[in-house]
Amino acid sequence: MDAGTHTAGHSETTAHQGLELTPFRGLRYDPDRVGSLAAVTSPPYDVVVRPDGLHQLESADPHNIVRLILPQAATPAARNEQAARTLRRWRAEGILTSDPEPGLYVYEQRDGAGLLQRGIIGALRVSDPAEKLVLPHEDVMPHVVADRAALMRATSANLEPLLLTYRGDTTTTATAALVERTAGRPPLLSTTTDDGFCHRLWAVTDPGDIARVQTDLARQQALIADGHHRWATYRRLRAEHPSPTPWDHGLVLLVDTARYPLRVRAIHRLLHGLPVTDALTALEGHFRVRRLAVPLTEALTALAEAARTGNAFLLAGDGAFHLVDRPDPALLARTVPADRPEAWRTLDATVLHATLLPHVWHVPEDSPAHIAYIHDTAATVAKAERDGGTAVLMHPVREDVVRDLARQGVTMPRKSTSFGPKPASGLVLRALDL
């Protein structure tokens, strides 16, 4: 995208043509005041498996970031006020301290299997959908946006970065070189989390370096890889506060997937109150169903094979796996909207949300009492077996399909994909009063 060379810092009357990333004074844990940096980090708020994962994180360290991103109290208002009090106390006590000068942050994630991801964390100008600078690819749930907005209002902070991607080219060589050069220096912090990932962070404060990154990104558009609800929250809060204010920007991690391709995984569904036997009975005459008496890994392999030739799902919760594929074409013709591109109409998530949930299983997708979205496959199966519900295991969508649909302005059903690795929460925060 040829978007000129406008950089952040222009007035709101300036014609915005590309991404505008600005430096900020990061708020970070003082490593001398906490048990370990790994013990105070968390996955993003929507990846934490509650209540098990929440309790584990809370017990890891009394200052774990989960106490801010997922505060626990009797009411939503009490939860948000508790998070705000906690943040104020940690800052007053020096648990969290602000960096001395504004900067962008180079962030690296590396696992033991050869995966390496690097990107830049900064405060991105919040743009309108009509500008087509930040492309969503999934729908959002209004109640989640309202929940995140209330938390951000109460804390006056961006507590965790969302994950955006762009496709670097010959116009982004300065940024690519800066990232590589910076990664060769001693980092501000380095820690290894329980999932085996090593996280490293560097501050970039040189005005020349920052200007070169801003010029490169001013020619780019970004895809939301993870954080649709937080981006929608940024947009809501910016609308509530007439510019110019700190709410004009939101905390993001930008990754060049031409250099560091992301992994794309599925997000699974847990249907509360729908036993597997009832789910299977409702499928009769609509889909082919085969029972698989195999371990989870083999069942997922069978799902991948079936997904090559059409829609396929894996149901679990009764101690076995059930491969569901070959939907009745007439059923799809009646239930899947015909006014979208074929790539959208044939998505597994589309068939699930347009056909299976409303017409076959009669499950309201907007109700947390009826459906949960879980990233971890084994955890989804275990919770279904424990609770007597149905786990619907999904096969991931390719990134190129996601990006092509986003560029057409077509959003996928909510929670269709899980890009990763996701940035760890707790390494750097953005307080709006800094």
Side-chain angles (χ1 to χ4, degrees), residues 22-80:
T22 65
F24 69 103
R25 290 179 63 195
L27 191 63
R28 298 188 294 110
Y29 282 99
D30 181 341
D32 295 330
R33 301 296 303 276
V34 297
S36 74
L37 289 175
V40 295
T41 64
S42 165
Y45 79 97
D46 58 337
V47 181
V48 177
V49 179
R50 290 175 276 187
D52 299 350
L54 180 66
H55 293 159
Q56 181 180 352
L57 290 164
E58 286 181 329
S59 61
D61 189 284
H63 302 107
N64 189 283
I65 191 68
V66 79
R67 297 179 187 275
L68 298 182
I69 63 175
L70 288 173
Q72 299 301 295
T75 66
R79 289 196 293 270
N80 296 329

Side-chain angles (χ1 to χ4, degrees), residues 39-379:
V40 295
T41 64
S42 165
Y45 79 97
D46 58 337
V47 181
V48 177
V49 179
R50 290 175 276 187
D52 299 350
L54 180 66
H55 293 159
Q56 181 180 352
L57 290 164
E58 286 181 329
S59 61
D61 189 284
H63 302 107
N64 189 283
I65 191 68
V66 79
R67 297 179 187 275
L68 298 182
I69 63 175
L70 288 173
Q72 299 301 295
T75 66
R79 289 196 293 270
N80 296 329
E81 178 53 35
Q82 178 175 292
R85 286 197 309 269
T86 300
L87 179 57
R88 288 194 297 268
R89 186 176 72 252
W90 288 358
R91 291 179 68 178
E93 295 175 352
I95 303 299
L96 287 168
T97 61
S98 57
D99 284 332
E101 55 184 321
L104 302 176
Y105 294 84
V106 171
Y107 175 47
E108 176 189 278
Q109 294 161 278
R110 186 193 298 266
D111 70 2
L115 188 147
L116 173 66
Q117 177 173 290
R118 290 175 179 149
I120 295 181
I121 295 175
L124 185 70
R125 181 183 71 87
V126 180
S127 54
D128 294 321
E131 297 179 71
K132 296 184 178 179
L133 296 178
V134 176
L135 306 176
H137 69 268
E138 291 182 355
D139 295 329
V140 298
M141 293 173 270
H143 73 276
V144 178
V145 176
D147 173 74
R148 290 294 102 183
L151 178 63
M152 287 191 204
R153 283 191 210 99
T155 57
S156 193
N158 300 150
L159 300 172
E160 47 185 348
L162 54 86
L163 175 61
L164 303 182
T165 72
Y166 66 99
R167 297 290 294 176
D169 52 27
T170 56
T171 68
T172 57
T173 54
T175 297
L178 172 69
V179 168
E180 301 309 309
R181 185 170 69 250
T182 303
R185 303 198 324 247
L188 283 177
L189 65 85
S190 178
T191 189
T192 301
T193 46
D194 288 344
D195 58 4
F197 271 91
C198 176
H199 306 262
R200 298 200 297 167
L201 190 77
W202 297 261
V204 177
T205 57
D206 178 79
D209 287 338
I210 292 172
R212 282 185 282 275
V213 171
Q214 290 174 325
T215 299
D216 278 3
L217 294 178
R219 304 182 181 99
Q220 297 295 315
Q221 64 180 178
L223 175 73
I224 302 176
D226 185 69
H228 283 80
H229 290 91
R230 281 167 284 167
W231 182 254
T233 299
Y234 291 168
R235 291 187 52 240
R236 174 180 292 193
L237 293 172
R238 187 200 62 171
E240 293 175 1
H241 300 81
S243 296
T245 73
W247 297 104
D248 292 341
H249 295 79
L251 187 63
V252 305
L253 165 65
L254 275 162
V255 173
D256 176 0
T257 53
R259 293 178 177 272
Y260 298 105
L262 270 63
R263 295 181 310 200
V264 186
R265 292 179 172 174
I267 302 176
H268 310 297
R269 277 66 170 160
L270 175 60
L271 308 183
H272 303 299
L274 179 67
V276 175
T277 53
D278 293 352
L280 295 174
T281 298
L283 291 170
E284 292 178 3
H286 298 306
F287 287 77
R288 181 176 71 168
V289 179
R290 288 174 287 167
R291 186 178 188 275
L292 306 177
V294 297
L296 175 59
T297 53
E298 294 182 31
L300 291 173
T301 299
L303 173 64
E305 292 173 354
R308 291 196 186 102
T309 57
N311 300 118
F313 310 89
L314 201 61
L315 304 190
D318 62 349
F321 296 101
H322 307 270
L323 184 60
V324 176
D325 63 357
R326 296 189 182 179
D328 174 16
L331 173 65
L332 298 186
R334 290 196 309 271
T335 56
V336 175
D339 60 347
R340 306 285 184 88
E342 182 181 0
W344 181 89
R345 296 197 309 271
T346 55
L347 289 169
D348 290 337
T350 296
V351 172
L352 176 64
H353 286 268
T355 304
L356 281 167
L357 293 177
H359 297 285
V360 177
W361 291 327
H362 306 290
V363 173
E365 62 174 336
D366 290 325
S367 170
H370 291 86
I371 184 170
Y373 299 84
I374 304 177
H375 293 71
D376 185 89
T377 309

